[in-house]
Amino acid sequence: FVWYDCAMPPATKSGRRFFAGASLLAATLLAALAVRGSAPAYVPEVPEYRAKGPRDAKVVIAEFSDFQCPACRVAVEPLQSIQKLFPGKVRVVFVHFPWDFHPWAKPAAIAAECAGPRNLFWPYHDKLYETQGDWAAQEKIDDVQKRFLMMAEGLGIGEEGFAACLNDPELPKLVDAEFAGARQNWVNSTPTFFINGKRFVGAVQLRTAGLNRIEDLLK
């Protein structure tokens, strides 16, 4: 909409104040929308081990997820189905977004990072979601990390090196930085997916409107 300068001003003083305030608010909102609308598509950079699919894929799905989030676990299956439905045409990148109210979400993200350089991020990712009901129910970090070590051992990762990695002081900084970057780009819930820059929230949107967008992009 447009505010016209030639519009008749309100007759009363209070009316003019209201009109001026409303005009200022509208101008502020329009400016904010213009800035947001002109921003480039948000495609975060992640380590290569947290990406699946060709680098030159026409469709890129950025997934913002929390390993302790039940809704994120539900979204695993439809995301995998999309990759199978369009083999070689979709690239998925995973971004850590652990909520503070999920006490073991950040330790789980760190554990997944420890599996990453061994090219086992995605198998470990799947194990974390498959066993979420077990490790997420623990009360002590020591018990949580024991389960993370067991998962690593099941994937052939040596316990000693993995245990040291779980306490690497640099990994919490990496996870925190990704969380902060996502918040700056209006990520407010999990799971959130950006498909070539367009936002979809939750498994239902992913398998409906999100799938429609992918089909349109690939036409």
Side-chain angles (χ1 to χ4, degrees):
F1 61 92
V2 178
W3 290 101
Y4 291 100
D5 292 336
C6 59
M8 180 67 72
T12 66
K13 187 175 182 180
S14 60
R16 289 192 294 273
R17 286 177 178 171
F18 176 81
F19 182 83
S23 299
L24 179 60
L25 176 60
T28 302
L29 289 173
L30 284 172
L33 289 171
V35 170
R36 183 168 176 177
S38 64
Y42 180 37
V43 182
E45 294 185 7
V46 301
E48 187 61 24
Y49 56 74
R50 267 197 267 142
K52 283 197 293 186
R55 291 188 180 187
D56 61 350
K58 192 172 182 179
V59 175
V60 179
I61 304 175
E63 174 191 6
F64 296 79
S65 197
D66 171 321
F67 284 114
Q68 198 174 342
C69 164
C72 297
R73 176 175 50 80
V74 172
V76 170
E77 187 278 327
L79 186 57
Q80 292 176 341
S81 295
I82 286 173
Q83 292 170 274
K84 292 175 182 177
L85 189 60
F86 305 104
K89 298 180 180 180
V90 175
R91 181 171 172 86
V92 175
V93 299
F94 184 96
V95 186
H96 294 298
F97 198 80
W99 291 109
D100 289 343
F101 53 80
H102 287 153
W104 310 135
K106 188 189 291 186
I110 291 169
E113 279 302 296
C114 291
R118 298 167 172 85
N119 293 320
L120 291 171
F121 173 83
W122 290 105
Y124 202 89
H125 160 285
D126 294 345
K127 285 292 183 183
L128 284 170
Y129 281 123
E130 288 170 8
T131 61
Q132 185 188 79
D134 175 31
W135 58 264
Q138 303 307 309
E139 296 182 357
K140 298 179 180 179
I141 184 61
D142 289 347
D143 293 332
V144 174
Q145 289 190 337
K146 284 179 183 178
R147 282 156 175 79
F148 292 163
L149 286 167
M150 290 172 60
M151 278 185 260
E153 186 178 355
L155 293 172
I157 302 174
E159 180 176 339
E160 184 175 345
F162 198 82
C165 184
L166 291 179
N167 296 300
D168 183 341
E170 295 303 312
L171 291 181
K173 298 176 185 177
L174 180 151
V175 175
D176 289 343
E178 290 198 0
F179 184 91
R183 290 292 275 176
Q184 290 172 1
N185 285 274
W186 302 289
V187 176
N188 298 310
S189 60
T190 52
T192 291
F193 305 91
F194 281 77
I195 302 177
N196 283 28
K198 186 172 182 179
R199 177 201 318 269
F200 300 88
V201 179
V204 174
Q205 282 195 8
L206 177 65
R207 64 163 59 100
T208 54
L211 181 57
N212 291 340
R213 175 162 173 78
I214 292 170
E215 291 175 338
D216 290 342
L217 290 167
L218 292 175
K219 282 181 181 178

